Amino acid sequence: MVAQAGISVREAEVLSLVGEHLSNAEVGARLYISVRTVETHVSSLLRKLGAPDRRALAQVATEWSRVARGGKAASALPSPVTSFVGRAQERGALAEAVTAHRQVSAVGPGGVGKTRLALAVAAAAAGDFADGVWFVDLVPITDPAMVGAAVAAAIGIGEQQNRTMDESVIAALADRHALLVLDNCEHVRDGVAPFLERLLAGCPRLTVLATSRARLMVPFERVYPIPPLSLTGDGDSDAAALFLERAAAVGWPLAPEQHQQAAEICRGLDGVALAIELAAARLPALGLDGLADVLPDQLRLLTGGARVDDRHRSVRAMLDWSHALLEPQDRTLLRRIAVFVAPFTVDAAGQVAGFPPVEPAAVMDGLARLAEQSLLAATPSAGGTRYRVLETIRQYGTEQLSGADELDGVQSRHLRWCISSAADLVEGIRAADGPWRVRFDAIADDLRAALGWAAGVPEHRAGAYQLASSLAALAFARNLVGEAQQRYEQAASLAGEPVAAGSALRSAAAVAGCRMRGEDMYRLHRAAADAARSAGDPAGAARDLATAAATVYRFSGTFSQPPPPGEAAALLSEARELAGDDPAAQAAMALAECGVLNDAADSDAAGAIARARRAVDLARRTGDPLAQSAALDALTAAQCWAGDTFATADTTRRRVDLLASVPVTPASAHERANALSEAAETCVGVGDLVGARRWGEQLRDLPLLAERGDFATSRLLVADALAGNVDDVLAGSRRFLDAWERSESLHAPNFAMAAAAVAMVHGLRGDDGARAEWLAIVDKLGLAPEQKAGHSAVFDAIVLLHRGRADRALAGLKAEPAEMDEWVIWVWLHWYAALRAEAAALTGTPDARHRIAAARSIVAGNPIAGALVERAAALLDGDQDRMLAAAAAFDAAGCRYQWARTLVLTGGEYAATGAAALSDLGLAPTYVE
């Protein structure tokens, strides 16, 4: 089907990644192309494959992948480097359990072979699951709260605004028919159990196969105990077969007459797979007779006795035995590298484990020897070879560290390495060094693990604070904004003095702003004020209190529940008592006054502008561009209130220019996203669709918004809709809808304008069904009816005029612009007045010329609204030359829709050209009376 659709090689690559449920940003990163290019390919694929939406396109990709694999579902399982041996009975029983139950736990002691059995069963079952199989290794996870993040990373789900990582995973898998394998759950059971309860409740077609040393203790769990490999007296048992296969792999094949002796060794190891593999790896050094001679003594010497069960004892015995055969320096190295939870480099091992009696220069050879003896796994990576300690051996090594009285010392060295590595990565961010991301991903789990234990140790509190601060900055730069806020708040709790705590809390508040979490911003700024008081900094406390008060007004749309009435005013009053003459505090209070005092019943537009100009002046004196941007935002609101559309647009552009060269921080990223959004919106108001599109594209392409497609595309949708860029609107609307549905932020009034613009385009296409669906979305977004009056009247009028219903358009525009609420008419004043004049001209109302004259005075300087008014006058007078002049003005302003419609209205030889242009745009014919 795909081949017949005539898609390109690049489109095929994009389609494959869409089938993996990657976002456009993630597809772009995978293919090294821009998000804009990905959107173009997705739009083309939707058209070529006849898919109605992205979800259907992902299903097409899944079917395509299945056909390409001969009808088998896609599989995301690791490929074992050694063959799977035996366990036919266990494989059948576990496979049957997975078929019959939605959550199966394969439970058994460490080293028994749970992972390999689970992989074998999952690989065989992959074809039974339409959406394939995903594998998640939980070994690197030390924080139970990060289980969802590990699953998200494995299945390619990025963090989403207004949603936790767990919620993002559940939403992504809600309709997937797939098998999820969670490996090594035992150390994070407290996180796995509640996560699985939510996951399976929200994903009815998902099956989970977990491996763990202990039951997960959830009510829907089906436990399947994994026994040791089968043991018999001859060489035909599963245990013996594994020993023989691994012996041959290390270049020591056993003759048939030796099989019985091999089986006895396996019996002595209690059939534990890990122990058998380690024993086979020692054959080149000891031979079969050497193993037989040494093993009994080691087991008797190092047995755990009655303290542990037999199977656990057999694993410990094998590890003790293997450990005892190492040279003293290699034993030391093995236990010291046990502090790493993720694959590590030779250099990292040298810094953490390279101290007497192990010299740094000897670490590389020591790691190689450990890898040769199957105590380490060596894997190639972009930065060179990395070594991974198997979890069972890592836990064993940690016990050895405690026994050697080295645990505190080695953990401290690991913490110092983490602090240093994180600090270097932060410098990489500042230098715009792209590879830092790969390095961060490689060590992130170690950073989190070190922070996890150090945060609870008083003597390491200072180091934990440093690490939390760096990890917060790295997480933010990596677009892990949820973790960034968490780490900034953690840093604040670890700070040794209140000044540092306040700084971390302000950063946390800024990240919360990026996440559109108004309540968190408000809470964190108030907490920062408390920290400033503790530091003896009343002016700093005043600044934070005033900022909290200003947040209530500047970002009211991000609050699900605003503070009680009067609370912001009370914070401002408290700030006045503390501020003194501090310039920053005075500027922050002036900004807050723009919200608090403008909200008063007796406030007027002139007073609002005066207060905003004072705030701008005070902010300029601080030299802080972010304070200036915030004050300019207040001026924008005041100018809008006064109905000065051009001044409003100029001020928003000043904000964008001011922030263009400001280094990226959480606070600057928040300001920049807000400024670009308002710049795009106000450009629409003055008829600058080219500028609106430019700012909208910059907003869309902000890395911060990679997973928040509803906000990122919202302003661009409006500009494209008015310009007549129909294909762009249809493609962008799919991303908008997908992101909005995934975010579950159903109450999002700021996005209503974008949804209404999409509805308008469907109306111009003659698709009333799609138009009704998008108008329903407008209602769901939660914008009050009276707040929709501005843009809804404009969009409805454009559709009605296109369909020749000027009378109905005029009825919808009956309110006098001067009588409308400034916050409702907002950027739509010019469009409203111009369309009102056109509707009056087309209906021939007696006051049509009066309305045209009134509109001219309102829209003067707006190229598109001005052309609309002149077209209305030309229609009234039947002046073809002026009609053509209006068409040229629309064309010059980048408004192709109105250009084409004007040609149709001009009539004669121009009508056919206009009709063809409308058809090329994908629009229905316009009606001419």
Side-chain angles (χ1 to χ4, degrees), residues 548-855:
T551 296
V552 176
Y553 297 95
R554 286 193 68 200
F555 306 108
S556 59
T558 66
F559 283 78
S560 58
Q561 184 64 48
E567 190 168 281
L571 293 182
L572 178 58
S573 178
E574 187 178 353
R576 289 193 184 103
E577 297 175 2
L578 298 170
D581 297 327
D582 182 78
Q586 291 292 331
M589 287 194 303
L591 176 63
E593 287 171 354
C594 291
V596 173
L597 299 181
N598 290 355
D599 198 39
D602 59 350
S603 183
D604 59 11
I609 288 179
R611 283 187 287 272
R613 292 195 185 282
R614 176 174 177 270
V616 172
D617 182 58
L618 290 173
R620 187 182 296 113
R621 295 179 193 178
T622 68
D624 180 1
L626 301 186
Q628 294 176 56
S629 172
L632 288 171
D633 187 27
L635 181 57
T636 297
Q639 290 167 332
C640 169
W641 189 2
D644 193 341
T645 310
F646 289 104
T648 302
D650 287 341
T651 303
T652 58
R653 285 192 287 264
R654 285 173 59 191
R655 282 187 74 198
V656 172
D657 292 342
L658 175 69
L659 296 168
S661 59
V662 175
V664 176
T665 64
S668 69
H670 185 210
E671 280 292 324
R672 182 166 172 78
N674 178 259
L676 286 171
S677 175
E678 291 191 358
E681 194 171 356
T682 56
C683 278
V684 167
V686 297
D688 180 11
L689 295 185
V690 174
R693 200 168 203 294
R694 179 171 64 253
W695 304 131
E697 287 176 338
Q698 290 187 27
L699 180 70
R700 178 200 62 198
D701 294 340
L702 286 179
L704 178 67
L705 301 177
E707 295 302 329
R708 192 61 197 263
D710 45 4
F711 183 71
T713 60
S714 59
R715 300 308 180 239
L716 196 54
L717 283 172
V718 175
D720 279 333
L722 292 169
N725 301 329
V726 176
D727 287 345
D728 290 329
V729 171
L730 296 180
S733 67
R734 295 186 188 100
R735 182 185 179 202
F736 175 94
L737 186 57
D738 181 59
W740 175 63
E741 289 176 340
R742 283 190 287 108
S743 72
E744 295 183 353
S745 300
L746 299 182
H747 181 79
N750 288 341
F751 302 152
M753 188 187 306
V758 177
M760 180 197 76
V761 168
H762 284 295
L764 296 178
R765 285 167 53 83
D767 189 343
D768 287 342
R771 185 181 184 220
E773 290 176 2
W774 278 92
L775 289 176
I777 291 171
V778 173
D779 293 335
K780 290 179 182 178
L781 286 164
L783 192 66
E786 63 273 12
Q787 294 175 306
K788 293 189 292 186
H791 65 72
S792 288
V794 168
F795 293 143
D796 287 347
I798 290 174
V799 173
L800 291 169
L801 289 170
H802 184 87
R803 296 181 176 186
R805 299 304 307 271
D807 54 338
R808 288 183 57 188
L810 187 60
L813 300 165
K814 64 182 178 180
E816 291 289 340
E819 298 174 357
M820 298 181 71
D821 189 319
E822 294 85 353
W823 298 117
V824 171
I825 198 68
W826 182 211
V827 300
W828 299 104
L829 175 62
H830 292 180
W831 292 85
Y832 186 97
L835 291 169
R836 192 166 183 261
E838 179 174 330
L842 288 171
T843 55
T845 59
D847 64 345
R849 294 190 185 279
H850 170 73
R851 293 192 181 189
I852 290 172

Side-chain angles (χ1 to χ4, degrees), residues 232-313:
T232 62
D234 54 35
D236 295 328
S237 67
D238 284 347
L242 176 64
F243 186 94
L244 296 174
E245 198 280 340
R246 297 300 187 257
V250 297
W252 200 271
L254 299 180
E257 59 270 21
Q258 295 176 302
H259 290 186
Q260 180 64 41
Q261 190 177 9
E264 290 300 321
I265 291 175
C266 292
R267 178 177 293 280
L269 297 174
D270 288 341
V272 175
L274 175 61
I276 292 170
E277 295 204 342
L278 291 172
R282 294 302 300 170
L283 272 175
L286 298 175
L288 196 59
D289 289 338
L291 283 175
D293 291 339
V294 173
L295 187 58
D297 291 337
Q298 294 293 324
L299 287 171
R300 287 195 300 271
L301 177 64
L302 301 175
T303 182
R307 292 186 301 110
V308 292
D309 64 270
D310 289 342
R311 285 175 290 187
H312 190 189
R313 180 177 61 194

